[in-house]
Amino acid sequence: MLKMYEIKHFMEVDAGSHKKRMARQGLKYYEGEHKIAGTRVFYVDADGKLKEDTTRSNVRISHPFFMELVDQEVQYMLSGDGNFIRSDDPDLQSMMDTYFDDSFWSEVYEALTGCITKGFDYLYAYYTADNRIGFQHADSMGVVEVAAKDTEDQEEHVIYWYVDHIEKEKKVIKRIQVWDERETWYYVQEGDGEIMADDKAPLNPRPHIITKNEKGERFGSSFHFIPFFRIDNGAKQFSGLKPVKDLIDDYDLMACSLSNNLQDFTDAIYVVSGFQGADLDELMQNIKTKKHIGTSPDGKLDIKTVDIPYEARKVKLELDEKNIYRFGMGFNSAQLGDGNITNVVIKSRYALLDLKCNKLEMRLKKFLRNIIKVVLDEINKANGTDYQLKNVYIKFQREIITNAQDNAQIQLTDAQRQGQQINNILAAANMLDDETVIEAICNILDIDYEEIKDKLPEREGSTQDAVGLLDAVVHDEEDGADV
């Protein structure tokens, strides 16, 4: 087991690592905390010194493009009927459905979101109250992987910590778990103080699995592996923010600068000569209330306005937005077309998102196979079966919006094509035997010939009689189910 000083050392080193710094940055941008939030306005005074300008406008609005890109990718990846892990064996499918239910996929959703946002994330296995294995999301910011070569006992460990609560004076209380291949140790840390054994843990250390027999006696066992499963956003575990961060920062800057200009130059500048009044305050009061001022015979009033270069900023904002979705490989829902939005056009707009999800799908399948192995082992032990990974397949069917008019036209064209094919077969029916004709028509209508062939006439009659019988069978099928 790890010593307490080792645990603290590994946690401190991990918190300062480049990987975790990048992960924290991705998490901030996902939550809308952008670089623009720290922007300050400065000027050089008459003495040549740099000073902060607290009188000018300093709009700091974050535009959360990254949150949209992440949510797009995750929801598009997990779109469909939700039954992604499948088997052709009905018994195995039924047993797997109890493991891979809605609760499981909600945890996968959280892990995928964290993976894209921070570069990597985890699920961990635990034993549920129903005496079966379950899976839960583990925030990667609190997971520290410890290699065997770095420890005194030469064993691999995973340290998992989370903030339990915050006491008065902002003292953070952390709960810490240290996992190895056999059991789990529980610790607590107050602020940055020393790590101590958690005296609130009922069993410390605790076996991975605790079960009860009919007499209520408890037994402990182990997974025989560290039950943490990691999914990476690429080999280098980079956040999805990396290719679009500078573009988002530039968009924030352009948009906020335009807002600042609009606020700072909303009022006109009055140039007055020969004013017949006491002071400047009287001049401004006359302009605001009386809408006129008095001047000497040689005096005059000029109103100056400032033209804000909004067209240039507008073009730059549009270019940044286009590049954010282009290099972030997302779907820009605000993109305008020429009004001819066909299914081909819609699919073309999903092309980059499809490409990005294809890469994610390969990593997600690898991640899920490791989990499926664990589930199959438990199913085999509980039922005396010998199911293998080859008995299970993973299939994602991502869905996109479609043009209803296009779909109706496609269905009409398919129906017309089927009708023409059937007419061609009937035209040649006199030269073919009944079985060939009916089987060909069944193939066109997607009807299982083996299921209806027993309903055909046993004697060798005319083809027209067989076709008529097939027509009745087809109508019976249509009344009971979709054909």
Side-chain angles (χ1 to χ4, degrees):
M1 60 176 288
L2 292 179
K3 303 293 190 298
M4 295 182 188
Y5 72 88
E6 288 184 293
I7 298 172
K8 186 175 183 180
H9 168 73
F10 287 128
M11 289 175 60
E12 291 174 347
V13 171
D14 178 74
S17 66
H18 176 71
K19 185 169 70 173
K20 286 296 174 71
R21 290 200 304 271
M22 296 295 293
R24 281 191 290 271
Q25 185 181 71
L27 184 59
K28 284 185 177 181
Y29 272 70
Y30 180 76
E31 295 173 349
E33 300 177 15
H34 295 188
K35 181 181 178 181
I36 193 71
T39 300
R40 299 161 65 188
V41 179
F42 292 89
Y43 70 97
V44 179
D45 64 11
D47 298 326
K49 294 181 180 180
L50 188 66
K51 290 187 177 181
E52 184 173 2
D53 191 343
T54 58
T55 60
R56 287 180 56 190
S57 299
N58 186 15
V59 176
R60 291 175 286 190
I61 301 174
S62 296
H63 300 79
F65 286 103
F66 184 55
M67 179 182 66
E68 182 185 359
L69 291 172
V70 172
D71 290 346
Q72 270 189 10
E73 185 174 359
V74 176
Q75 294 186 32
Y76 186 51
M77 186 70 246
L78 297 181
S79 61
D81 60 6
N83 185 21
F84 307 120
I85 299 177
R86 306 179 184 181
S87 174
D88 294 329
D89 187 319
D91 294 333
L92 177 57
Q93 183 68 61
S94 177
M95 288 184 283
M96 288 196 306
D97 287 344
T98 63
Y99 291 89
F100 306 120
D101 55 6
D102 290 341
S103 296
F104 172 79
W105 290 111
S106 67
E107 300 297 328
V108 172
Y109 183 96
E110 294 296 330
L112 274 182
T113 302
C115 166
I116 301 165
T117 301
K118 296 171 285 187
F120 58 100
D121 220 345
Y122 296 84
L123 288 185
Y124 73 91
Y126 68 101
Y127 222 61
T128 69
D130 299 329
N131 289 330
R132 67 174 179 84
I133 195 170
F135 301 90
Q136 189 167 334
H137 171 242
D139 185 358
S140 59
M141 299 307 298
V143 178
V144 183
E145 297 184 36
V146 181
K149 63 182 179 63
D150 297 327
T151 64
E152 293 182 2
D153 57 6
Q154 299 295 301
E155 290 188 15
E156 291 184 357
H157 298 82
V158 166
I159 301 171
Y160 176 45
W161 64 267
Y162 59 93
V163 175
D164 186 46
H165 64 279
I166 300 177
E167 293 185 343
K168 294 181 179 179
E169 300 179 355
K170 298 182 179 180
K171 182 181 289 185
V172 177
I173 306 300
K174 294 179 183 177
R175 299 290 174 184
I176 303 171
Q177 303 171 8
V178 180
W179 297 67
D180 67 6
E181 294 184 354
R182 298 175 300 279
E183 49 195 356
T184 308
W185 287 264
Y186 297 87
Y187 302 91
V188 64
Q189 183 185 28
E190 296 185 7
D192 295 327
E194 296 300 320
I195 294 176
M196 308 295 293
D198 189 354
D199 54 8
K200 293 185 179 180
L203 192 61
N204 196 5
R206 182 185 185 277
H208 291 165
I209 303 171
I210 295 180
T211 55
K212 292 183 179 179
N213 60 14
E214 296 178 353
K215 298 180 180 179
E217 298 173 333
R218 298 195 305 174
F219 294 90
S221 58
S222 169
F223 288 126
H224 301 293
F225 62 90
I226 300 177
F228 278 75
F229 305 89
R230 189 186 73 210
I231 178 169
D232 297 332
N233 189 36
K236 295 185 178 180
Q237 300 178 334
F238 282 151
S239 166
L241 174 67
K242 187 177 176 64
V244 294
K245 179 184 179 300
D246 292 340
L247 289 168
I248 294 174
D249 288 340
D250 190 58
Y251 188 97
D252 288 342
L253 182 61
M254 291 295 108
C256 292
S257 297
L258 180 58
S259 297
N260 290 334
N261 292 156
L262 292 173
Q263 289 190 6
D264 288 336
F265 300 110
T266 53
D267 296 328
I269 300 174
Y270 296 89
V271 181
V272 181
S273 61
F275 171 60
Q276 293 179 344
D279 54 23
L280 185 61
D281 291 337
E282 181 183 347
L283 169 66
M284 297 308 300
Q285 185 68 19
N286 289 343
I287 292 175
K288 290 181 179 179
T289 58
K290 299 178 181 179
K291 304 299 181 183
H292 71 271
I293 59 173
T295 63
S296 65
D298 297 331
K300 63 178 180 178
L301 169 65
D302 287 337
I303 301 176
K304 304 291 186 181
T305 58
V306 178
D307 293 330
I308 300 172
Y310 72 94
E311 284 293 344
R313 293 191 186 278
K314 180 182 176 182
V315 172
K316 186 65 172 70
L317 286 171
E318 292 174 351
L319 180 60
D320 278 344
E321 180 178 353
K322 177 181 177 181
N323 286 332
I324 287 170
Y325 285 105
R326 178 184 178 187
F327 297 112
M329 303 177 74
F331 172 76
N332 187 358
S333 58
Q335 184 178 6
L336 299 177
D338 57 1
N340 185 26
I341 309 300
T342 65
N343 286 340
V344 175
V345 173
I346 294 173
K347 288 181 180 179
S348 68
R349 293 184 181 178
Y350 275 86
L352 290 175
L353 184 57
D354 263 320
L355 180 60
K356 183 165 62 171
C357 284
N358 286 340
K359 295 190 291 184
L360 177 62
E361 182 175 327
M362 292 186 289
R363 298 190 296 270
L364 180 57
K365 284 183 175 180
K366 180 180 179 181
F367 170 74
L368 291 174
R369 287 191 188 100
N370 292 329
I371 293 176
I372 293 171
K373 288 179 184 178
V374 176
V375 171
L376 290 180
D377 286 343
E378 181 168 285
I379 290 175
N380 290 334
K381 289 178 182 178
N383 299 279
T385 54
D386 188 28
Y387 292 119
Q388 304 294 324
L389 197 58
K390 63 184 178 181
N391 301 124
V392 181
Y393 62 95
I394 304 170
K395 186 175 182 179
F396 294 98
Q397 291 180 320
R398 302 192 289 270
E399 294 182 351
I400 64 174
I401 58 175
T402 55
N403 186 315
Q405 184 176 356
D406 246 19
N407 294 339
Q409 184 62 43
I410 292 171
Q411 292 175 354
L412 176 62
T413 302
D414 287 342
Q416 291 173 343
R417 175 179 54 80
Q418 286 183 342
Q420 185 60 50
Q421 289 176 333
I422 292 174
N423 288 336
N424 293 341
I425 292 173
L426 294 178
N430 293 330
M431 296 180 289
L432 303 171
D433 61 278
D434 295 347
E435 183 176 354
T436 301
V437 171
I438 297 174
E439 187 173 0
I441 295 177
C442 285
N443 291 335
I444 295 173
L445 297 177
D446 197 22
I447 299 174
D448 190 346
Y449 174 74
E450 297 297 326
E451 291 183 0
I452 69 166
K453 67 179 182 179
D454 294 336
K455 301 178 183 180
L456 299 177
E458 295 183 1
R459 63 181 181 82
E460 293 184 1
S462 72
T463 302
Q464 295 300 323
D465 291 339
V467 172
L469 181 59
L470 175 62
D471 183 65
V473 172
V474 171
H475 282 85
D476 290 342
E477 292 284 341
E478 290 177 343
D479 292 337
D482 293 336
V483 178

